[in-house]
Amino acid sequence: MAAHDTGTKHGTRRLVVDRSVCAGHGLCYGRSPEVVDCDDSGYPVILQDALELAGHVAAAEEAVAMCPERALTLEISESSRNPSA
């Protein structure tokens, strides 16, 4: 398995769910329970606001790949970068 850049140099990674697209299949939290849980209705709840560990980034990538509705995305936030260099 390749090493994952957690984003310290390129921004912070976040797993985001589009609840308007999600059908509640549960594949994401079944595959990646360290970063995704479910609410009482069976819809995903993101457990980590910022993915800081390589294992969490890998789990998030697997959750994104598992989603048949494509309701999950892995975003990179550039807000943590210092624009003045």
Side-chain angles (χ1 to χ4, degrees), residues 9 14 20 28 30 32 35-37 44-45 50 67 69 71-72 80 82:
K9 217 173 133 181
R14 293 181 343 121
S20 69
C28 56
S32 302
V35 293
V36 186
D37 198 359
V45 174
C67 183
E69 306 300 331
L72 294 171
S80 63
N82 183 358

Side-chain angles (χ1 to χ4, degrees), residues 44-79:
V45 174
I46 306 303
L47 299 176
Q48 307 284 331
D49 185 44
L51 302 172
E52 298 178 3
L53 301 176
H56 289 165
V57 172
E61 289 172 343
E62 291 174 4
V64 169
M66 294 294 296
C67 183
E69 306 300 331
R70 301 294 181 235
L72 294 171
T73 54
L74 192 56
E75 296 182 350
I76 299 175
S77 168
E78 297 294 330
S79 62

Side-chain angles (χ1 to χ4, degrees), residues 1-18:
M1 181 184 302
H4 295 275
D5 179 355
T6 58
T8 56
K9 217 173 133 181
H10 305 288
T12 302
R13 295 192 183 192
R14 293 181 343 121
L15 183 61
V16 179
V17 61
D18 181 347

Side-chain angles (χ1 to χ4, degrees), residues 29-47:
Y29 52 82
R31 179 69 177 119
S32 302
E34 59 271 52
V35 293
V36 186
D37 198 359
C38 66
D39 64 15
D40 292 338
S41 299
Y43 289 93
V45 174
I46 306 303
L47 299 176

